[in-house]
Every structure is written in C-alpha cells, then in structure tokens.
Amino acid sequence: MKTSVKFFIGFCVLLFTLASPSLGQSPEEKNSTFAFTKFQKDKAFSPIVGVQTWVTYSMGEEKNGTQYANRADASFRRLRLGAKGAPYAWLRYQFELHLDRLGEDPNASTKGSYSGLNIWKAFLTAKLTKNDLVHLHIGYYWTGVSLDYVTSPWSVSSFDKTRADWYLRNFVTGKGNGIESGFGLGGLKNFEGFGINYQVGAFLPQAFSGTENANPLFTGRFMFTFGDPEQKTYSIRHSGNHWNARNGVTIGLAGSTIGKVDNGNGTVFNSSNTYGADISACAGGLKIEGEYYKMKREATGFDDFSGTAWFVRCGYNIPVKETFVEPTFTIDKFDGEGETSLYSYIGDDITFDIGVNWYLNKTKLKLALHYLNQKGSASSNVGDYIGMAMQVRL
C-alpha cells in the first residue's frame, strides 16, 4: 500500500476516533438520546441565486495566431441557481446549477472554460464533533488545493479568479473548476491569537478514469492562523473580504497526489503531484494574499512536466457611508515546461489586473471596473480588456 494511502487512512481513523459521540458528554447528555433527529424547519431550505454580468471592451485580441478587431461585449459571466440548508444541527447540504458565460462573444479577450447548463456542486456536510474540529464531506465538491482554489469567485477582489489557479485546478483534476466526486474531512480550532484549519480528501477524477487504472486523487491543505481568525466557524470555502474587521495572518500548506493514469484517450502518466504554500494577511482595510504552487508529472518514455502557478493580490477597503470602495491589483503567472503528452499547456500565461470594486451591500451587491493585460504563449488567446461587472446574490 502506498505511503500516501496509509497516511490518509490513518488520519481519518484518528479523527473519527476523536469524533466518537461518547467523548466529552456528560451522563445527562448521553441520556438525551436521538436529540440529533430534531428537524430545523427554519434552517432546512435557503435558495441560492447569483447573477454576475460583464460588459467588456477587448483590445489586441489574438487567438491561435489570428488577429481580431477590437470589440465590445455583454454577457452573463455567472448565473447560479440552487439551494442550501441545515435540516439538522449536525447536517448541511448544498446544491447548485450553473449557466455561465451566456451570450459571451467567442472572439473577446475574456477567458473561461465552462458554459451551458450543468451541476456546479452537490454535497453533504456532517458535523461529527460538538466543536468544529471534524466535519465529513461527501459528494461533488472542491478538491481543495491552494487559497484561490477554495475561495469563491464572488468574493475575490480581482476581476475574476486568477488564471494561474485555473491551471492548477486543471492539472489536479483534468478540469478547470477543480470540482470532483469524493469524500473528505475538514475542521478548525481557534485558540487565543492562534488557530488551525485543515481539509483532506479522496476523489475519483472522471478525466483520469480508465479501464486499466482508476487511482484515487488525494488532496490536503493545512492552515495556521496568527492573530484574528480567518474563520470563526468552519466552512469548506474561505472568506474573501473581512470588511476591516480582521487583523491576522493565515499561512496554508497544501498538495495533491495521484498514481498511474491511462484514461484511454491520450492522458497517460505514472504519477502527478502538486505542492506549495499560500498566505492571506489582513490589517484593517488592507488585505494582501498570494500563493505559489509547483506541479510535477512523470511518465515512462517522456520528459517530465514541471510547472509553477503563483499570484499576488492586494486590496484596500475605504469605508464610504455604509459601503466599501476597494482599489485593488493582482498579478498572476503560470509557467510550464515539458511535453504536451503529459500536460497540454506548455509555455507561460501572465495576467495583470488593476481596478476598483464598490461593495454596496458587501458580497450581495457589488460593482467593479477593471483593466486586464494578458500575455503569454500557453493560452490559446491573449489580449487586453476593460471590464465592468455587476453581481447580485441572495
């Protein structure tokens, strides 16, 4: 048995042992049987509705060597419908459909990989301890490597999630959103001025499944917080803007590994691994965050693939009456070396983003105006664009 498999199984056994219902209960609590079956009618169902519209003007667009005229475009960048709830105190669910990039001009400078109607996420979370130390996730959800990986696109201060992290998600799972079927554990523990947070999981990426090999993907991320906590209660996704209420630093260490893959459609390798670190630091209205991750892939008879994905993002909240105005900039870069037989994207992809966000009701109502400069050889299209966005969420 591989060392990584043994470690994952051992870690799960340890946490399940800690999560035994009999631990830490008084005789009175033990006698109040089936208390966990109490139905929470008022928390059982909440709708998920999210609309993000983009109006862009593309300049210098070039796709696969062809130059395109400058153009304006308007589209629904994200349209999300679903539901979430906590029908029991120990059980939560989330379900969401996406209809993204509706009406987008295919010759605009904007980038993305998902369009049409499909399931975005569908999973259950069971709280296994009285505190927030152990939660079990089962279903179709984020495989969870890196800071940007598990941060909502509705919460980032850049115009969109970084392109560099898109390459990381695509490398880990074979698809751009990094969402797969599997199960995992996660939790947190906050002390005075210090906290720990973790997520581990085992998944079966559809893109890597074949007749001869169907090895699981193992992922893990461990976070250490100094100062104010990033999360006061556990959530699988992490906060974007803290609205000037946090002074603290969170450092994350994460990675993933999967064994031999031959999906019968040209994706063949002996092993594929990622590892790296990320940081999120807040001081009042100032927030600085970034990540640096390495990607390695090996296959018999081919040169190894080696890649890096990193970004730095900075924003500053300026309170204006009951709203926040946030000037922000982001730079992100992907580099990949090796053979396309191991990974399709060889070369570099660099994006510089500068803009301003206006949060009229925090993440529920947001306006944004940004300029993005994109270049590199790995992406199929390059070009600059000015983007205006409006997002509304329930």
Side-chain angles (χ1 to χ4, degrees):
M1 185 179 292
K2 291 178 61 178
T3 302
S4 58
V5 178
K6 291 180 179 178
F7 173 80
F8 183 79
I9 293 175
F11 186 79
C12 292
V13 169
L14 174 62
L15 288 177
F16 275 112
T17 301
L18 293 173
S20 172
S22 64
L23 291 179
Q25 288 184 324
S26 66
E28 292 78 9
E29 289 172 321
K30 292 178 182 178
N31 290 333
S32 86
T33 56
F34 302 108
F36 65 94
T37 62
K38 183 178 180 181
F39 184 70
Q40 302 183 137
K41 183 178 180 180
D42 58 331
K43 299 180 180 179
F45 177 85
S46 296
I48 296 174
V49 180
V51 180
Q52 188 180 76
T53 60
W54 280 14
V55 176
T56 63
Y57 185 77
S58 299
M59 301 165 286
E61 164 67 1
E62 181 178 337
K63 183 180 298 184
N64 298 320
T66 301
Q67 297 281 344
Y68 290 83
N70 295 351
R71 64 194 62 226
D73 183 37
S75 65
F76 287 99
R77 178 65 175 188
R78 290 180 174 88
L79 180 57
R80 306 289 171 85
L81 300 170
K84 62 181 179 179
Y88 301 95
W90 56 274
L91 182 65
R92 302 194 305 268
Y93 70 89
Q94 291 189 42
F95 172 77
E96 193 171 320
L97 299 172
H98 78 85
L99 183 58
D100 292 0
R101 302 174 69 194
L102 188 64
E104 182 181 287
D105 187 332
N107 299 318
S109 297
T110 53
K111 298 178 180 179
S113 57
Y114 284 87
S115 58
L117 180 65
N118 212 331
I119 295 175
W120 186 252
K121 61 183 178 184
F123 67 98
L124 298 170
T125 299
K127 186 177 180 180
L128 302 183
T129 52
K130 293 178 63 178
N131 56 25
D132 261 351
L133 185 60
V134 186
H135 298 76
L136 172 65
H137 306 294
I138 301 176
Y140 185 67
Y141 69 103
W142 305 272
T143 54
V145 179
S146 92
L147 171 67
D148 221 39
Y149 212 121
V150 292
T151 302
S152 169
W154 307 89
S155 301
V156 296
S157 62
S158 47
F159 195 63
D160 202 3
K161 295 186 69 169
T162 64
R163 189 65 179 175
D165 200 79
W166 180 91
Y167 287 101
L168 180 64
R169 299 191 300 269
N170 180 271
F171 183 84
V172 170
T173 63
K175 51 196 289 192
N177 64 4
I179 298 175
E180 269 300 346
S181 298
F183 72 96
L185 298 171
L188 66 79
K189 180 66 175 177
N190 289 323
F191 304 92
E192 185 67 32
F194 178 71
I196 56 174
N197 192 322
Y198 74 90
Q199 290 175 5
V200 296
F203 304 86
L204 293 171
Q206 186 178 6
F208 297 153
S209 177
T211 55
E212 294 186 8
N213 299 287
N215 287 305
L217 166 71
F218 294 103
T219 65
R221 183 164 183 255
F222 300 85
M223 292 140 281
F224 306 91
T225 294
F226 306 90
D228 295 337
E230 181 182 14
Q231 293 183 344
K232 294 182 180 179
T233 58
Y234 174 75
S235 172
I236 192 172
R237 306 207 79 175
H238 294 277
S239 302
N241 200 317
H242 293 275
W243 317 113
N244 300 14
R246 184 190 182 214
N247 293 290
V249 177
T250 298
I251 297 173
L253 304 174
S256 68
T257 183
I258 188 170
K260 190 173 183 178
V261 165
D262 184 352
N263 69 356
N265 294 315
T267 301
V268 181
F269 53 80
N270 294 338
S271 65
S272 184
N273 303 287
T274 66
Y275 57 92
D278 49 68
I279 187 171
S280 176
C282 296
L286 177 66
K287 182 172 185 179
I288 301 174
E289 53 190 0
E291 64 185 41
Y292 183 89
Y293 279 81
K294 297 286 291 184
M295 296 168 275
K296 298 284 187 181
R297 187 168 286 176
E298 300 177 354
T300 304
F302 295 94
D303 292 335
D304 296 347
F305 171 83
S306 177
T308 59
W310 63 267
F311 80 86
V312 176
R313 183 162 53 213
C314 180
Y316 188 83
N317 287 328
I318 303 171
V320 178
K321 294 185 177 181
E322 296 181 356
T323 72
F324 292 91
V325 175
E326 180 190 35
T328 178
F329 77 87
T330 305
I331 182 169
D332 71 88
K333 185 179 182 183
F334 162 81
D335 281 295
E337 297 180 354
E339 299 189 38
T340 55
S341 301
L342 294 191
Y343 190 55
S344 301
Y345 301 98
I346 305 298
D348 63 349
D349 193 341
I350 309 166
T351 302
F352 179 80
D353 173 346
I354 185 169
V356 60
N357 305 313
W358 186 15
Y359 303 95
L360 289 90
N361 188 6
K362 298 186 176 178
T363 58
K364 296 185 182 299
L365 180 58
K366 172 185 172 183
L367 301 176
L369 176 63
H370 288 241
Y371 167 76
L372 285 84
N373 173 270
Q374 304 173 124
K375 56 185 178 181
S377 59
S379 177
S380 61
N381 67 312
V382 294
D384 304 345
Y385 67 92
I386 298 171
M388 294 180 292
M390 178 178 180
Q391 70 179 40
V392 180
R393 301 175 71 198
L394 294 183

